[in-house]
Amino acid sequence: MSDELILVTGATGKTGRRVVRLLQERGIPVREGSRSGSTRFDWDDPATWEPALRGVTATYLVVPALGAPQATEALAAFARQAAGLGVRRAVLVSLPAAGTADHGPVAAAEQALGEAGLAWTALRLRWFFQNFSEDFLRDPVLSGEVRLPAGDAREAFVDADDIAEVAVAALTGSGHDGKAYELTGPRLLTFHDTVAAIAEATGRDVRYVPLTAEEYADEQRALGVPEEWVQVSDGFYAQFRSGDLASVSGDVERVLGRPPRDFADFVKAAVADGAWSA
């Protein structure tokens, strides 16, 4: 049994729960932190931090609204407390330098970990494959129309399972300190490409419908989406359309010694698991 204890924040999320599973499979003790889990953890409630950190040697950090001033301040305070309690290493879910309107605040959040005395690794993530199978794009796939203001821009969508494997390597291995990994899939894809792959594999009549930013915002408001989230979504898709995310990194292969999973392989596995059975 390992003498490590790893705190995973966001333990019920797409990457967090995968990190938890991989660590458990390797016999490494895990503390699962979330607002509703057995170990309560809330970035907005510092009183929950110390109990979650007690006895921890490393931590996986998923910070909502990363890059916002409040998030950076909270992360810096958390990092100082973690280092004071004996935590040695932190792996942070971060945002890509390209495709971020102003990466300065995100870089400041990453650097706050090192300034607190922690060995740190940043995982700069792209859009997840699993958004189509277990998140906000699943219902549109099932409806037959994926309606988004993403244009024909290309992005190197990435597999959440690959992200989790890289995270565990950084949490438990050597050679990752001070590194910022840009985690991508193996090739660039448009939403036309991804939706067409799902349609072919499932036999469903599903298509991607490009919208203007205004059309998408109006549709979201009609569905009752709060205006704050309408504006946040507008920013995400504007960055997507800009083409700044149209790059592929070799960091997954550099860390894991194998290529990242391709979207076509993900789709086949998701179909076998009944992801779009309804």
Side-chain angles (χ1 to χ4, degrees), residues 109-144:
E110 296 173 355
Q111 293 163 8
L113 299 174
E115 290 168 357
L118 299 174
W120 64 274
T121 307
L123 309 183
R124 297 175 177 173
L125 309 185
R126 301 297 183 85
W127 287 59
F128 299 165
F129 292 172
Q130 284 78 8
N131 287 341
F132 294 94
S133 61
E134 56 190 68
D135 205 337
F136 67 102
L137 294 177
R138 181 176 183 270
D139 284 346
V141 167
L142 294 177
S143 76

Side-chain angles (χ1 to χ4, degrees), residues 11-277:
T12 59
K14 279 194 293 299
T15 63
R17 68 175 183 270
R18 288 171 164 86
V19 170
V20 167
R21 185 186 70 242
L22 289 175
L23 290 169
Q24 290 174 336
E25 289 173 353
R26 298 178 189 194
I28 298 173
V30 183
R31 182 171 292 158
E32 301 175 46
S34 68
R35 289 181 176 179
S36 58
S38 55
T39 298
R40 185 167 179 270
F41 183 87
D42 188 341
W43 285 105
D44 294 327
D45 184 0
T48 66
W49 299 355
E50 193 275 339
L53 285 167
R54 196 179 298 123
V56 166
T57 56
T59 182
Y60 179 71
L61 302 175
V62 181
V63 185
L66 185 70
Q70 303 93 321
T72 299
E73 292 170 8
L75 180 60
F78 173 87
R80 291 191 295 269
Q81 186 171 33
L85 290 168
V87 177
R88 300 188 297 271
R89 178 177 297 174
V91 174
L92 174 68
V93 169
S94 189
L95 301 174
T100 303
D102 179 4
H103 194 70
V106 176
E110 296 173 355
Q111 293 163 8
L113 299 174
E115 290 168 357
L118 299 174
W120 64 274
T121 307
L123 309 183
R124 297 175 177 173
L125 309 185
R126 301 297 183 85
W127 287 59
F128 299 165
F129 292 172
Q130 284 78 8
N131 287 341
F132 294 94
S133 61
E134 56 190 68
D135 205 337
F136 67 102
L137 294 177
R138 181 176 183 270
D139 284 346
V141 167
L142 294 177
S143 76
E145 287 192 341
V146 178
R147 303 171 60 84
L148 299 172
D152 296 323
R154 300 188 301 164
E155 149 75 301
F157 295 83
V158 65
D159 182 20
D161 289 314
D162 285 346
I163 294 167
E165 286 195 40
V166 172
V168 169
L171 285 165
T172 63
S174 60
H176 307 288
D177 296 351
K179 300 286 183 64
Y181 293 127
E182 300 276 347
L183 301 187
T184 75
R187 60 192 173 108
L188 296 174
L189 299 165
T190 66
F191 271 99
H192 288 289
D193 298 328
T194 55
V195 172
I198 293 169
E200 180 178 0
T202 60
R204 286 181 169 274
D205 182 12
V206 55
R207 63 194 183 105
Y208 167 54
V209 180
L211 301 178
T212 66
E214 293 76 15
E215 288 169 339
Y216 183 75
D218 288 344
E219 288 191 3
Q220 293 298 292
R221 294 184 184 107
L223 292 171
V225 175
E227 186 63 27
E228 177 184 2
W229 285 106
V230 172
Q231 297 303 318
V232 168
S233 296
D234 180 66
F236 285 150
Y237 289 111
Q239 291 165 9
F240 194 103
R241 292 192 304 274
S242 73
D244 287 343
L245 295 173
S247 62
V248 174
S249 161
D251 284 348
V252 169
E253 185 164 9
R254 274 188 280 274
V255 174
L256 301 181
R258 62 161 179 81
R261 183 157 68 153
D262 189 78
F263 188 78
D265 295 324
F266 155 75
V267 170
K268 290 176 185 175
V271 169
D273 291 340
W276 297 290
S277 299

